[in-house]
Amino acid sequence: MAAASPQRKRRREKEEAGDGAGVADADADAGGGGAFPLAELRVCRLLRESARDKAVFLHGQVNGTCGEVKDAVVILEKTPFQEENISDLLKNHTKLQLQMSNDIYSTYHLYPPPQLSEIKTTVIYPATEKHLQKYLRQEVHLIRETGEDYKNITLPFIQSQSFSIQWVYNILEKKAEADRIIHENPDPCNGFVLIPDFKWNQKQLDDLYLIAISHRREIKSLRDLTSEHLPLLKNILQEGKEAILKRFGVASTQLRIYLHYQPSYYHLHVHFSALSYDAPGISVERAHLLTDVIDNLELDPQYYQKQALTFALRADEPLLKKFQEAGRA
Ligand code: M7G
């Protein structure tokens, strides 16, 4: 929980006025397409719900401009408390309803005023089948991928897929989210853009989450990294930490800085999240600390081409089927 400075408040107001192409805050301009018609969404199914994260993931449909039916994923998420709003919440609630009382113990339903009961709403529209799969709760299986497996199974699979990373190019080319950039090193080889992840609303530091996106476009994932990429990785680590300290006052010892393997989007990016925040995707079978990645590459320039890497795949992911067909899962 953190009080917002006037500077942060002003920045938020600006940010709330716009977001990335194809992925939008529903009440903000959708980066060219206008606001998503949330009231017209026909909910088809609940993909997933999380009592812990206080979030639901919905698959819905709306009619496109020519009447065609299009899929959408809508994520509704209750947001963390903001310290500066708490006294307002206590004083100006619309209703306080006693639920139970026993000796010195009592519980209530408190109904906050509308301005303090916001729900973070993330829309992916139009959503592909892969988006629906990504958010659908499913059984998962662990895979241990050798360097050979990567060449024979995973790489051909990635190359055959077309999961658009247009949103990444929009950020790098300043076509979307340009006013959200926290730091940029413009070097085409060793440079990157640091930007708030769309999972973070920037209203409190408890769930701070940013991503650093490499300017180089051909590095798909951890598997492509060699010692040649050390200058880029070191820039991301050093400049990312400095920029977060400067802008948000969060020290590097309070940050978890890591890459995902497998990532969802095959363009090199590094996650920066608050150490105290159990961000999705920090499990040992997915997150690789950037400091360890740098050390491994310094020990062996080809480390990530040789090393077996473990990750989880959901039951109906086509990549799991490929591993099963090859007798590797
Ligand atoms: P990943 O490891 O490829 O996949 O990380 P994951 O989504 O399964 O973790 C991509 C990161 O980019 C995630 O943390 C996403 O929340 C974030 N992200 C995805 N999109 C589509 C956007 C976007 O449009 N803007 C921003 N700022 N972040 C995004």
Side-chain angles (χ1 to χ4, degrees):
M1 197 143 36
S5 66
Q7 197 189 6
R8 278 188 62 207
K9 272 188 182 152
R10 267 199 307 281
R11 206 181 55 251
R12 270 190 231 141
E13 282 158 16
K14 269 180 75 187
E15 282 152 8
E16 280 162 10
D19 203 355
V23 178
D25 265 339
D27 59 354
D29 177 54
F36 178 78
L38 199 61
E40 287 164 31
L41 185 82
R42 296 181 297 278
V43 176
C44 308
R45 61 186 159 148
L46 192 72
L47 295 167
R48 189 187 338 154
E49 67 183 315
S50 166
R52 199 199 64 168
D53 299 333
K54 309 206 174 31
V56 284
F57 300 74
L58 305 172
H59 168 201
Q61 291 183 326
V62 289
N63 291 340
T65 39
C66 305
E68 73 284 23
V69 173
K70 289 190 173 178
D71 290 306
V73 170
V74 174
I75 304 167
L76 303 176
E77 194 182 344
K78 296 199 181 173
T79 53
F81 288 99
Q82 288 168 254
E83 194 173 343
E84 69 265 29
N85 291 338
I86 290 179
S87 65
D88 197 13
L89 188 67
L90 299 176
K91 281 194 202 102
N92 300 323
H93 59 265
T94 54
K95 191 162 97 178
L96 184 68
Q97 195 174 53
L98 179 70
Q99 205 187 353
M100 74 93 191
S101 166
N102 183 348
D103 188 34
I104 60 169
Y105 305 98
S106 52
T107 64
Y108 300 83
H109 290 303
L110 182 145
Y111 295 88
Q115 72 277 13
L116 296 181
S117 50
E118 107 185 10
I119 293 201
K120 180 172 190 280
T121 304
T122 305
V123 177
I124 302 174
Y125 173 77
T128 64
E129 187 54 35
K130 193 156 175 198
H131 288 115
L132 300 178
Q133 292 306 324
K134 177 171 153 83
Y135 293 107
L136 185 66
R137 165 133 9 246
Q138 285 180 43
E139 195 178 83
V140 289
H141 298 270
L142 268 195
I143 297 288
R144 188 144 173 86
E145 177 200 73
T146 63
E148 283 302 297
D149 291 335
Y150 176 73
K151 275 190 241 151
N152 299 332
I153 307 170
T154 311
L155 181 59
F157 174 78
I158 296 168
Q159 287 166 339
S160 72
Q161 294 292 299
S162 57
F163 199 44
S164 170
I165 47 173
Q166 188 56 47
W167 68 271
V168 171
Y169 298 147
N170 287 347
I171 290 173
L172 295 177
E173 292 165 18
K174 321 286 170 359
K175 291 181 181 160
E177 305 187 54
D179 60 346
R180 288 161 47 89
I181 292 175
I182 301 297
H183 173 76
E184 176 170 19
N185 175 332
D187 188 287
C189 187
N190 296 322
F192 67 98
V193 168
L194 180 73
I195 194 159
D197 193 283
F198 83 152
K199 290 197 202 86
W200 185 37
N201 66 8
Q202 293 190 78
K203 295 200 174 174
Q204 57 288 312
L205 298 176
D206 312 54
D207 58 345
L208 173 139
Y209 200 144
L210 296 99
I211 41 168
I213 302 175
S214 141
H215 272 301
R216 277 177 77 162
R217 296 189 175 196
E218 79 288 359
I219 315 167
K220 288 183 286 305
S221 73
L222 196 58
R223 275 287 185 209
D224 286 340
L225 293 175
T226 66
S227 54
E228 183 217 337
H229 304 110
L230 281 168
L232 166 64
L233 298 174
K234 287 179 181 178
N235 284 349
I236 291 178
L237 182 64
Q238 197 50 38
E239 294 175 31
K241 289 194 297 195
E242 284 167 11
I244 290 174
L245 178 62
K246 195 167 164 215
R247 179 65 75 94
F248 302 106
V250 176
S252 61
T253 52
Q254 298 298 306
L255 293 175
R256 186 183 283 113
I257 307 172
Y258 53 100
L259 291 86
H260 277 160
Y261 192 75
Q262 298 284 333
S264 295
Y265 304 96
Y266 289 92
H267 176 112
L268 188 80
H269 57 274
V270 174
H271 303 249
F272 290 71
S273 66
L275 188 60
S276 55
Y277 172 49
D278 282 344
I282 57 165
S283 52
V284 289
E285 70 276 18
R286 190 151 192 231
H288 297 254
L289 289 176
L290 179 57
T291 44
D292 290 349
V293 172
I294 290 173
D295 282 355
N296 290 335
L297 291 172
E298 278 177 338
L299 284 172
D300 180 349
Q302 305 295 315
Y303 184 91
Y304 288 102
Q305 286 75 59
K306 295 178 191 163
Q307 180 61 37
L309 298 174
T310 299
F311 51 84
L313 290 176
R314 291 182 299 275
D316 70 347
E317 275 192 75
L319 183 58
L320 179 64
K321 199 156 168 255
K322 298 279 177 206
F323 272 85
Q324 286 165 339
E325 283 165 4
R328 296 287 299 127

